[in-house]
């Protein structure tokens, strides 16, 4: 095992300095790792713009954050449902109108283990449509401002990327023939991660080193992800697991995305998360990514397909 560049304890939020003047756009902040990440960034003086699908929960989140951190924190929210391209486009437009800079866009929101195949309004399987296509469009539309701010794109993947087939099922992207809650979740997360490294290649090809893109994952954290999406059995097993030592706090689960959003001198080629057993818990740092997640031929094809499907071209 390689040594952690941040020492035995790995990366912790103590390493974040004063963030005054910096702006972070985060998806999915009403609970779990997204909430913890927002709280820590705000506590360090950063400005946070939250993108959530439920405005009422967003308001409650802002109230909770102000109660804990005081009324002076700079936090706002914009409604966005990642599962609907029109909602993503509208939210991106609002961000560009109201925000003058983006130091990091943190793509944290996701859905998981949807028990039965659901198709989004745009015609995609729901996990693929939300986790991959929704994020692809959001990143592309906010890219010009991120570039202007010399900012970062942080994609929160999952170790689930390695639990399904080791490539993209291009001949049946909606998994009509072999739908499986875990299989397509894995596929959506693999797609997200692949596009981070493909984005790095494309930025390098046009000589743009001002924008950095990172892939990370939270390990096994106590969040509501499975509780809100999984089947009854999956949820039951997960609730039991959450009581075990194999699962860490949501705050620790937020560390990888916070590190990728704020830490200087980290390798974009890395994959960041807990480095303990199975990469579920343990000190946060860079760890092994299976080679199929960096398959350049597949990644290029996926990128081109994503531009075609969403109708959104990246403006390099």
């Amino acid at each position: 095992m390689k040594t952690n560049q941040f020492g035995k304890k790995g990366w912790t939020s103590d390493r974040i300095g004063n963030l005054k003047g910096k702006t972070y756009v985060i998806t999915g902040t009403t609970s779990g790792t997204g909430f913890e990440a927002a709280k820590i960034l705000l506590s360090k003086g950063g400005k946070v713009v939250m993108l959530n699908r439920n405005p009422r929960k967003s308001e409650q989140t802002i109230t909770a954050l102000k109660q804990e951190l005081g009324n002076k924190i700079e936090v706002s929210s914009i409604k966005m449902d990642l599962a609907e391209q029109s909602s993503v486009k509208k939210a991106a437009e609002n961000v560009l109108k109201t925000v003058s800079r983006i130091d990091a866009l943190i793509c944290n929101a996701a859905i998981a283990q949807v028990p039965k195949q659901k198709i989004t309004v745009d015609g995609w399987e729901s996990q693929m449509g939300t986790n991959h296509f929704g994020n692809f469009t959001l990143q592309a539309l906010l890219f010009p401002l991120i570039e202007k701010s010399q900012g970062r794109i942080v994609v929160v993947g999952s170790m689930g990327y390695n639990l399904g087939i080791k490539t993209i099922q291009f001949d049946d992207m909606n998994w009509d023939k072999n739908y499986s809650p875990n299989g397509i979740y894995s596929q959506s997360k693999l797609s997200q991660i692949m596009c981070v490294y493909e984005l790095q290649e494309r930025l390098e090809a046009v000589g743009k080193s001002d924008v950095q893109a990172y892939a990370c994952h939270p390990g096994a954290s106590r969040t509501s992800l499975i509780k809100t999406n999984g089947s009854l059995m999956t949820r039951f097993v997960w609730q039991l697991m959450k009581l075990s030592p194999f699962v860490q706090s949501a705050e620790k689960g937020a560390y990888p995305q916070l590190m990728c959003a704020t830490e200087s001198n980290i390798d974009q080629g890395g994959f960041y998360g807990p480095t303990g057993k199975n990469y579920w818990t343990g000190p946060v740092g860079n760890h092994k990514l299976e080679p199929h997640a960096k398959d350049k031929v597949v990644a290029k094809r996926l990128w081109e397909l994503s531009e075609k499907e969403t109708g959104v071209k990246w403006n390099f």
Side-chain angles (χ1 to χ4, degrees), residues 5-50:
Q5 73 181 98
F6 303 107
K8 245 192 199 144
K9 285 192 175 154
W11 190 93
T12 68
S13 59
D14 298 344
R15 291 184 60 90
I16 304 176
N18 184 345
L19 300 177
K20 198 155 178 52
K22 292 190 185 294
T23 300
Y24 299 90
V25 177
I26 317 182
T27 66
T29 62
T30 55
S31 65
T33 51
F35 175 80
E36 296 298 334
K39 186 166 89 176
I40 290 168
L41 292 169
L42 288 163
S43 74
K44 305 279 184 176
K47 177 181 176 177
V48 169
V49 180
M50 312 188 302

mmCIF file of all heavy atoms in Angstrom, residues 5-50:
data_model
loop_
_atom_site.group_PDB
_atom_site.id
_atom_site.type_symbol
_atom_site.label_atom_id
_atom_site.label_comp_id
_atom_site.label_asym_id
_atom_site.label_seq_id
_atom_site.Cartn_x
_atom_site.Cartn_y
_atom_site.Cartn_z
ATOM 1 N N GLN A 5 -0.068 10.813 1.237
ATOM 2 C CA GLN A 5 0.694 12.066 1.193
ATOM 3 C C GLN A 5 0.337 13.012 2.349
ATOM 4 O O GLN A 5 1.050 13.965 2.622
ATOM 5 C CB GLN A 5 0.494 12.777 -0.155
ATOM 6 C CG GLN A 5 -0.870 13.423 -0.341
ATOM 7 C CD GLN A 5 -1.025 14.088 -1.712
ATOM 8 O OE1 GLN A 5 -1.592 13.502 -2.623
ATOM 9 N NE2 GLN A 5 -0.533 15.293 -1.867
ATOM 10 N N PHE A 6 -0.778 12.718 3.036
ATOM 11 C CA PHE A 6 -1.188 13.588 4.149
ATOM 12 C C PHE A 6 -0.894 12.971 5.512
ATOM 13 O O PHE A 6 -1.431 13.375 6.526
ATOM 14 C CB PHE A 6 -2.683 13.912 4.031
ATOM 15 C CG PHE A 6 -3.028 14.562 2.723
ATOM 16 C CD1 PHE A 6 -3.713 13.867 1.738
ATOM 17 C CD2 PHE A 6 -2.613 15.860 2.442
ATOM 18 C CE1 PHE A 6 -3.997 14.458 0.511
ATOM 19 C CE2 PHE A 6 -2.883 16.452 1.225
ATOM 20 C CZ PHE A 6 -3.582 15.748 0.258
ATOM 21 N N GLY A 7 -0.024 11.949 5.507
ATOM 22 C CA GLY A 7 0.372 11.341 6.777
ATOM 23 C C GLY A 7 -0.582 10.229 7.192
ATOM 24 O O GLY A 7 -1.530 9.892 6.485
ATOM 25 N N LYS A 8 -0.322 9.675 8.383
ATOM 26 C CA LYS A 8 -1.060 8.509 8.872
ATOM 27 C C LYS A 8 -2.562 8.728 8.971
ATOM 28 O O LYS A 8 -3.366 7.840 8.703
ATOM 29 C CB LYS A 8 -0.519 8.130 10.252
ATOM 30 C CG LYS A 8 0.155 6.782 10.243
ATOM 31 C CD LYS A 8 0.422 6.318 11.654
ATOM 32 C CE LYS A 8 1.500 5.230 11.597
ATOM 33 N NZ LYS A 8 2.404 5.249 12.695
ATOM 34 N N LYS A 9 -2.947 9.904 9.391
ATOM 35 C CA LYS A 9 -4.382 10.170 9.593
ATOM 36 C C LYS A 9 -5.088 10.536 8.290
ATOM 37 O O LYS A 9 -6.307 10.660 8.240
ATOM 38 C CB LYS A 9 -4.565 11.299 10.604
ATOM 39 C CG LYS A 9 -4.316 10.862 12.022
ATOM 40 C CD LYS A 9 -4.778 11.903 13.019
ATOM 41 C CE LYS A 9 -4.622 11.375 14.441
ATOM 42 N NZ LYS A 9 -4.460 12.474 15.405
ATOM 43 N N GLY A 10 -4.301 10.741 7.229
ATOM 44 C CA GLY A 10 -4.909 11.120 5.953
ATOM 45 C C GLY A 10 -5.373 12.569 5.968
ATOM 46 O O GLY A 10 -5.098 13.326 6.903
ATOM 47 N N TRP A 11 -6.093 12.949 4.940
ATOM 48 C CA TRP A 11 -6.564 14.327 4.813
ATOM 49 C C TRP A 11 -7.731 14.565 5.768
ATOM 50 O O TRP A 11 -8.640 13.746 5.878
ATOM 51 C CB TRP A 11 -7.011 14.598 3.383
ATOM 52 C CG TRP A 11 -7.287 16.043 3.118
ATOM 53 C CD1 TRP A 11 -6.420 16.961 2.617
ATOM 54 C CD2 TRP A 11 -8.516 16.755 3.340
ATOM 55 N NE1 TRP A 11 -7.016 18.192 2.523
ATOM 56 C CE2 TRP A 11 -8.310 18.102 2.961
ATOM 57 C CE3 TRP A 11 -9.774 16.385 3.838
ATOM 58 C CZ2 TRP A 11 -9.304 19.075 3.056
ATOM 59 C CZ3 TRP A 11 -10.770 17.344 3.947
ATOM 60 C CH2 TRP A 11 -10.529 18.676 3.555
ATOM 61 N N THR A 12 -7.704 15.701 6.465
ATOM 62 C CA THR A 12 -8.857 16.098 7.296
ATOM 63 C C THR A 12 -9.180 17.560 7.016
ATOM 64 O O THR A 12 -8.365 18.291 6.437
ATOM 65 C CB THR A 12 -8.572 15.946 8.809
ATOM 66 O OG1 THR A 12 -7.581 16.909 9.175
ATOM 67 C CG2 THR A 12 -8.095 14.548 9.172
ATOM 68 N N SER A 13 -10.355 17.990 7.446
ATOM 69 C CA SER A 13 -10.812 19.348 7.129
ATOM 70 C C SER A 13 -10.012 20.435 7.859
ATOM 71 O O SER A 13 -10.138 21.617 7.551
ATOM 72 C CB SER A 13 -12.300 19.503 7.447
ATOM 73 O OG SER A 13 -12.535 19.246 8.806
ATOM 74 N N ASP A 14 -9.151 20.013 8.806
ATOM 75 C CA ASP A 14 -8.281 20.999 9.482
ATOM 76 C C ASP A 14 -7.326 21.658 8.494
ATOM 77 O O ASP A 14 -6.793 22.732 8.755
ATOM 78 C CB ASP A 14 -7.416 20.310 10.567
ATOM 79 C CG ASP A 14 -8.271 19.681 11.647
ATOM 80 O OD1 ASP A 14 -9.458 20.033 11.728
ATOM 81 O OD2 ASP A 14 -7.753 18.825 12.389
ATOM 82 N N ARG A 15 -7.102 21.009 7.370
ATOM 83 C CA ARG A 15 -6.160 21.540 6.377
ATOM 84 C C ARG A 15 -6.744 22.705 5.578
ATOM 85 O O ARG A 15 -6.021 23.385 4.865
ATOM 86 C CB ARG A 15 -5.741 20.428 5.406
ATOM 87 C CG ARG A 15 -4.860 19.360 6.043
ATOM 88 C CD ARG A 15 -4.410 18.344 5.000
ATOM 89 N NE ARG A 15 -3.650 18.956 3.925
ATOM 90 C CZ ARG A 15 -2.327 19.122 3.898
ATOM 91 N NH1 ARG A 15 -1.610 18.702 4.921
ATOM 92 N NH2 ARG A 15 -1.728 19.675 2.864
ATOM 93 N N ILE A 16 -8.058 22.908 5.680
ATOM 94 C CA ILE A 16 -8.675 23.998 4.904
ATOM 95 C C ILE A 16 -8.412 25.336 5.593
ATOM 96 O O ILE A 16 -8.709 25.504 6.769
ATOM 97 C CB ILE A 16 -10.208 23.806 4.772
ATOM 98 C CG1 ILE A 16 -10.528 22.445 4.139
ATOM 99 C CG2 ILE A 16 -10.838 24.920 3.938
ATOM 100 C CD1 ILE A 16 -12.012 22.119 4.050
ATOM 101 N N GLY A 17 -7.854 26.273 4.837
ATOM 102 C CA GLY A 17 -7.595 27.609 5.390
ATOM 103 C C GLY A 17 -8.826 28.504 5.293
ATOM 104 O O GLY A 17 -9.958 28.035 5.137
ATOM 105 N N ASN A 18 -8.596 29.818 5.350
ATOM 106 C CA ASN A 18 -9.688 30.784 5.247
ATOM 107 C C ASN A 18 -10.190 30.839 3.796
ATOM 108 O O ASN A 18 -9.421 31.071 2.873
ATOM 109 C CB ASN A 18 -9.157 32.157 5.694
ATOM 110 C CG ASN A 18 -10.254 33.204 5.715
ATOM 111 O OD1 ASN A 18 -11.328 33.010 5.147
ATOM 112 N ND2 ASN A 18 -9.989 34.307 6.379
ATOM 113 N N LEU A 19 -11.486 30.639 3.620
ATOM 114 C CA LEU A 19 -12.049 30.587 2.261
ATOM 115 C C LEU A 19 -12.795 31.862 1.870
ATOM 116 O O LEU A 19 -13.579 31.867 0.922
ATOM 117 C CB LEU A 19 -13.003 29.385 2.137
ATOM 118 C CG LEU A 19 -12.396 28.004 2.374
ATOM 119 C CD1 LEU A 19 -13.465 26.927 2.281
ATOM 120 C CD2 LEU A 19 -11.264 27.714 1.390
ATOM 121 N N LYS A 20 -12.538 32.936 2.614
ATOM 122 C CA LYS A 20 -13.253 34.183 2.312
ATOM 123 C C LYS A 20 -13.016 34.595 0.858
ATOM 124 O O LYS A 20 -11.906 34.531 0.355
ATOM 125 C CB LYS A 20 -12.780 35.292 3.263
ATOM 126 C CG LYS A 20 -13.752 36.451 3.305
ATOM 127 C CD LYS A 20 -13.644 37.232 4.613
ATOM 128 C CE LYS A 20 -14.595 38.415 4.616
ATOM 129 N NZ LYS A 20 -15.984 38.061 4.275
ATOM 130 N N GLY A 21 -14.104 34.971 0.173
ATOM 131 C CA GLY A 21 -13.971 35.382 -1.220
ATOM 132 C C GLY A 21 -14.108 34.241 -2.221
ATOM 133 O O GLY A 21 -14.124 34.456 -3.422
ATOM 134 N N LYS A 22 -14.198 33.017 -1.696
ATOM 135 C CA LYS A 22 -14.345 31.860 -2.600
ATOM 136 C C LYS A 22 -15.803 31.377 -2.623
ATOM 137 O O LYS A 22 -16.498 31.471 -1.611
ATOM 138 C CB LYS A 22 -13.431 30.711 -2.162
ATOM 139 C CG LYS A 22 -11.946 31.051 -2.356
ATOM 140 C CD LYS A 22 -11.083 29.834 -2.145
ATOM 141 C CE LYS A 22 -9.592 30.126 -2.216
ATOM 142 N NZ LYS A 22 -9.119 30.545 -3.519
ATOM 143 N N THR A 23 -16.227 30.873 -3.777
ATOM 144 C CA THR A 23 -17.616 30.417 -3.950
ATOM 145 C C THR A 23 -17.655 28.957 -4.392
ATOM 146 O O THR A 23 -16.952 28.556 -5.322
ATOM 147 C CB THR A 23 -18.334 31.286 -5.008
ATOM 148 O OG1 THR A 23 -18.330 32.639 -4.560
ATOM 149 C CG2 THR A 23 -19.780 30.842 -5.200
ATOM 150 N N TYR A 24 -18.507 28.191 -3.716
ATOM 151 C CA TYR A 24 -18.645 26.761 -4.012
ATOM 152 C C TYR A 24 -20.094 26.450 -4.376
ATOM 153 O O TYR A 24 -21.006 26.846 -3.658
ATOM 154 C CB TYR A 24 -18.204 25.925 -2.793
ATOM 155 C CG TYR A 24 -16.760 26.195 -2.451
ATOM 156 C CD1 TYR A 24 -16.405 27.211 -1.551
ATOM 157 C CD2 TYR A 24 -15.736 25.503 -3.091
ATOM 158 C CE1 TYR A 24 -15.070 27.517 -1.294
ATOM 159 C CE2 TYR A 24 -14.397 25.792 -2.835
ATOM 160 C CZ TYR A 24 -14.075 26.801 -1.940
ATOM 161 O OH TYR A 24 -12.755 27.105 -1.694
ATOM 162 N N VAL A 25 -20.270 25.784 -5.488
ATOM 163 C CA VAL A 25 -21.603 25.353 -5.908
ATOM 164 C C VAL A 25 -21.679 23.851 -5.648
ATOM 165 O O VAL A 25 -20.843 23.087 -6.140
ATOM 166 C CB VAL A 25 -21.836 25.662 -7.411
ATOM 167 C CG1 VAL A 25 -23.191 25.135 -7.856
ATOM 168 C CG2 VAL A 25 -21.748 27.169 -7.659
ATOM 169 N N ILE A 26 -22.655 23.436 -4.834
ATOM 170 C CA ILE A 26 -22.754 22.014 -4.450
ATOM 171 C C ILE A 26 -24.153 21.472 -4.722
ATOM 172 O O ILE A 26 -25.152 22.107 -4.374
ATOM 173 C CB ILE A 26 -22.462 21.800 -2.939
ATOM 174 C CG1 ILE A 26 -21.270 22.605 -2.450
ATOM 175 C CG2 ILE A 26 -22.242 20.328 -2.641
ATOM 176 C CD1 ILE A 26 -20.946 22.375 -0.985
ATOM 177 N N THR A 27 -24.211 20.281 -5.292
ATOM 178 C CA THR A 27 -25.507 19.635 -5.509
ATOM 179 C C THR A 27 -25.800 18.670 -4.357
ATOM 180 O O THR A 27 -24.890 18.040 -3.819
ATOM 181 C CB THR A 27 -25.519 18.835 -6.828
ATOM 182 O OG1 THR A 27 -24.595 17.745 -6.727
ATOM 183 C CG2 THR A 27 -25.134 19.708 -8.008
ATOM 184 N N GLY A 28 -27.070 18.583 -3.996
ATOM 185 C CA GLY A 28 -27.497 17.607 -2.992
ATOM 186 C C GLY A 28 -26.985 17.886 -1.598
ATOM 187 O O GLY A 28 -26.178 17.144 -1.050
ATOM 188 N N THR A 29 -27.469 19.005 -1.008
ATOM 189 C CA THR A 29 -26.920 19.411 0.305
ATOM 190 C C THR A 29 -27.921 19.311 1.450
ATOM 191 O O THR A 29 -27.643 19.789 2.539
ATOM 192 C CB THR A 29 -26.451 20.878 0.256
ATOM 193 O OG1 THR A 29 -27.596 21.677 -0.029
ATOM 194 C CG2 THR A 29 -25.381 21.103 -0.783
ATOM 195 N N THR A 30 -29.091 18.702 1.204
ATOM 196 C CA THR A 30 -30.088 18.712 2.288
ATOM 197 C C THR A 30 -29.813 17.649 3.347
ATOM 198 O O THR A 30 -30.432 17.650 4.405
ATOM 199 C CB THR A 30 -31.527 18.546 1.738
ATOM 200 O OG1 THR A 30 -31.589 17.355 0.954
ATOM 201 C CG2 THR A 30 -31.931 19.734 0.887
ATOM 202 N N SER A 31 -28.898 16.729 3.067
ATOM 203 C CA SER A 31 -28.530 15.723 4.074
ATOM 204 C C SER A 31 -27.179 15.112 3.704
ATOM 205 O O SER A 31 -26.603 15.438 2.673
ATOM 206 C CB SER A 31 -29.589 14.610 4.124
ATOM 207 O OG SER A 31 -29.599 13.909 2.889
ATOM 208 N N GLY A 32 -26.711 14.227 4.569
ATOM 209 C CA GLY A 32 -25.519 13.424 4.263
ATOM 210 C C GLY A 32 -24.249 14.204 3.986
ATOM 211 O O GLY A 32 -24.008 15.275 4.561
ATOM 212 N N THR A 33 -23.432 13.667 3.081
ATOM 213 C CA THR A 33 -22.109 14.239 2.832
ATOM 214 C C THR A 33 -22.201 15.650 2.238
ATOM 215 O O THR A 33 -21.361 16.494 2.520
ATOM 216 C CB THR A 33 -21.296 13.346 1.871
ATOM 217 O OG1 THR A 33 -22.087 13.072 0.713
ATOM 218 C CG2 THR A 33 -20.912 12.027 2.509
ATOM 219 N N GLY A 34 -23.224 15.910 1.428
ATOM 220 C CA GLY A 34 -23.384 17.238 0.828
ATOM 221 C C GLY A 34 -23.648 18.298 1.882
ATOM 222 O O GLY A 34 -23.091 19.400 1.828
ATOM 223 N N PHE A 35 -24.483 17.953 2.858
ATOM 224 C CA PHE A 35 -24.774 18.872 3.967
ATOM 225 C C PHE A 35 -23.495 19.153 4.759
ATOM 226 O O PHE A 35 -23.180 20.310 5.074
ATOM 227 C CB PHE A 35 -25.853 18.279 4.886
ATOM 228 C CG PHE A 35 -26.127 19.109 6.109
ATOM 229 C CD1 PHE A 35 -26.936 20.238 6.037
ATOM 230 C CD2 PHE A 35 -25.560 18.781 7.329
ATOM 231 C CE1 PHE A 35 -27.178 21.020 7.168
ATOM 232 C CE2 PHE A 35 -25.791 19.552 8.461
ATOM 233 C CZ PHE A 35 -26.606 20.672 8.382
ATOM 234 N N GLU A 36 -22.770 18.092 5.073
ATOM 235 C CA GLU A 36 -21.528 18.243 5.866
ATOM 236 C C GLU A 36 -20.490 19.069 5.105
ATOM 237 O O GLU A 36 -19.807 19.916 5.684
ATOM 238 C CB GLU A 36 -20.948 16.867 6.224
ATOM 239 C CG GLU A 36 -21.834 16.016 7.115
ATOM 240 C CD GLU A 36 -22.117 16.616 8.492
ATOM 241 O OE1 GLU A 36 -21.298 17.406 8.990
ATOM 242 O OE2 GLU A 36 -23.171 16.282 9.067
ATOM 243 N N ALA A 37 -20.378 18.835 3.806
ATOM 244 C CA ALA A 37 -19.415 19.601 2.997
ATOM 245 C C ALA A 37 -19.781 21.077 2.992
ATOM 246 O O ALA A 37 -18.918 21.946 3.191
ATOM 247 C CB ALA A 37 -19.377 19.056 1.566
ATOM 248 N N ALA A 38 -21.063 21.368 2.795
ATOM 249 C CA ALA A 38 -21.527 22.768 2.791
ATOM 250 C C ALA A 38 -21.220 23.424 4.133
ATOM 251 O O ALA A 38 -20.718 24.555 4.187
ATOM 252 C CB ALA A 38 -23.027 22.816 2.497
ATOM 253 N N LYS A 39 -21.506 22.697 5.206
ATOM 254 C CA LYS A 39 -21.301 23.237 6.562
ATOM 255 C C LYS A 39 -19.826 23.581 6.799
ATOM 256 O O LYS A 39 -19.495 24.646 7.310
ATOM 257 C CB LYS A 39 -21.789 22.216 7.590
ATOM 258 C CG LYS A 39 -21.758 22.727 9.014
ATOM 259 C CD LYS A 39 -22.552 21.834 9.951
ATOM 260 C CE LYS A 39 -21.678 20.737 10.498
ATOM 261 N NZ LYS A 39 -22.396 19.896 11.491
ATOM 262 N N ILE A 40 -18.946 22.691 6.398
ATOM 263 C CA ILE A 40 -17.508 22.914 6.624
ATOM 264 C C ILE A 40 -17.003 24.088 5.775
ATOM 265 O O ILE A 40 -16.263 24.948 6.260
ATOM 266 C CB ILE A 40 -16.702 21.618 6.381
ATOM 267 C CG1 ILE A 40 -17.010 20.609 7.504
ATOM 268 C CG2 ILE A 40 -15.206 21.898 6.318
ATOM 269 C CD1 ILE A 40 -16.528 19.188 7.271
ATOM 270 N N LEU A 41 -17.418 24.156 4.519
ATOM 271 C CA LEU A 41 -16.989 25.274 3.653
ATOM 272 C C LEU A 41 -17.485 26.614 4.204
ATOM 273 O O LEU A 41 -16.745 27.606 4.216
ATOM 274 C CB LEU A 41 -17.513 25.068 2.226
ATOM 275 C CG LEU A 41 -16.889 23.896 1.448
ATOM 276 C CD1 LEU A 41 -17.667 23.618 0.170
ATOM 277 C CD2 LEU A 41 -15.411 24.153 1.121
ATOM 278 N N LEU A 42 -18.720 26.628 4.686
ATOM 279 C CA LEU A 42 -19.278 27.861 5.265
ATOM 280 C C LEU A 42 -18.552 28.235 6.553
ATOM 281 O O LEU A 42 -18.276 29.413 6.810
ATOM 282 C CB LEU A 42 -20.776 27.682 5.549
ATOM 283 C CG LEU A 42 -21.684 27.649 4.312
ATOM 284 C CD1 LEU A 42 -23.050 27.073 4.659
ATOM 285 C CD2 LEU A 42 -21.838 29.054 3.720
ATOM 286 N N SER A 43 -18.213 27.219 7.351
ATOM 287 C CA SER A 43 -17.527 27.485 8.629
ATOM 288 C C SER A 43 -16.137 28.079 8.411
ATOM 289 O O SER A 43 -15.580 28.719 9.283
ATOM 290 C CB SER A 43 -17.430 26.205 9.464
ATOM 291 O OG SER A 43 -16.449 25.344 8.924
ATOM 292 N N LYS A 44 -15.571 27.868 7.209
ATOM 293 C CA LYS A 44 -14.241 28.411 6.891
ATOM 294 C C LYS A 44 -14.351 29.746 6.135
ATOM 295 O O LYS A 44 -13.362 30.240 5.610
ATOM 296 C CB LYS A 44 -13.456 27.414 6.025
ATOM 297 C CG LYS A 44 -13.330 26.029 6.627
ATOM 298 C CD LYS A 44 -12.232 25.936 7.664
ATOM 299 C CE LYS A 44 -12.068 24.506 8.168
ATOM 300 N NZ LYS A 44 -10.953 24.360 9.108
ATOM 301 N N GLY A 45 -15.568 30.265 6.023
ATOM 302 C CA GLY A 45 -15.736 31.592 5.400
ATOM 303 C C GLY A 45 -16.084 31.573 3.925
ATOM 304 O O GLY A 45 -16.186 32.612 3.281
ATOM 305 N N GLY A 46 -16.257 30.380 3.359
ATOM 306 C CA GLY A 46 -16.621 30.281 1.940
ATOM 307 C C GLY A 46 -18.086 30.625 1.709
ATOM 308 O O GLY A 46 -18.897 30.611 2.636
ATOM 309 N N LYS A 47 -18.406 30.941 0.472
ATOM 310 C CA LYS A 47 -19.796 31.184 0.081
ATOM 311 C C LYS A 47 -20.294 29.914 -0.590
ATOM 312 O O LYS A 47 -19.584 29.325 -1.416
ATOM 313 C CB LYS A 47 -19.839 32.368 -0.890
ATOM 314 C CG LYS A 47 -21.215 32.691 -1.443
ATOM 315 C CD LYS A 47 -21.116 33.870 -2.416
ATOM 316 C CE LYS A 47 -22.486 34.128 -3.034
ATOM 317 N NZ LYS A 47 -22.458 35.297 -3.922
ATOM 318 N N VAL A 48 -21.515 29.478 -0.243
ATOM 319 C CA VAL A 48 -22.036 28.231 -0.796
ATOM 320 C C VAL A 48 -23.368 28.456 -1.510
ATOM 321 O O VAL A 48 -24.280 29.077 -0.967
ATOM 322 C CB VAL A 48 -22.201 27.153 0.311
ATOM 323 C CG1 VAL A 48 -22.989 25.942 -0.200
ATOM 324 C CG2 VAL A 48 -20.833 26.701 0.825
ATOM 325 N N VAL A 49 -23.449 27.973 -2.740
ATOM 326 C CA VAL A 49 -24.705 27.970 -3.489
ATOM 327 C C VAL A 49 -25.138 26.513 -3.609
ATOM 328 O O VAL A 49 -24.418 25.684 -4.172
ATOM 329 C CB VAL A 49 -24.535 28.598 -4.895
ATOM 330 C CG1 VAL A 49 -25.859 28.593 -5.650
ATOM 331 C CG2 VAL A 49 -23.975 30.012 -4.789
ATOM 332 N N MET A 50 -26.305 26.204 -3.043
ATOM 333 C CA MET A 50 -26.780 24.825 -3.024
ATOM 334 C C MET A 50 -27.755 24.581 -4.167
ATOM 335 O O MET A 50 -28.633 25.408 -4.414
ATOM 336 C CB MET A 50 -27.492 24.539 -1.695
ATOM 337 C CG MET A 50 -26.725 24.991 -0.468
ATOM 338 S SD MET A 50 -27.475 24.452 1.093
ATOM 339 C CE MET A 50 -29.105 25.167 0.992
#
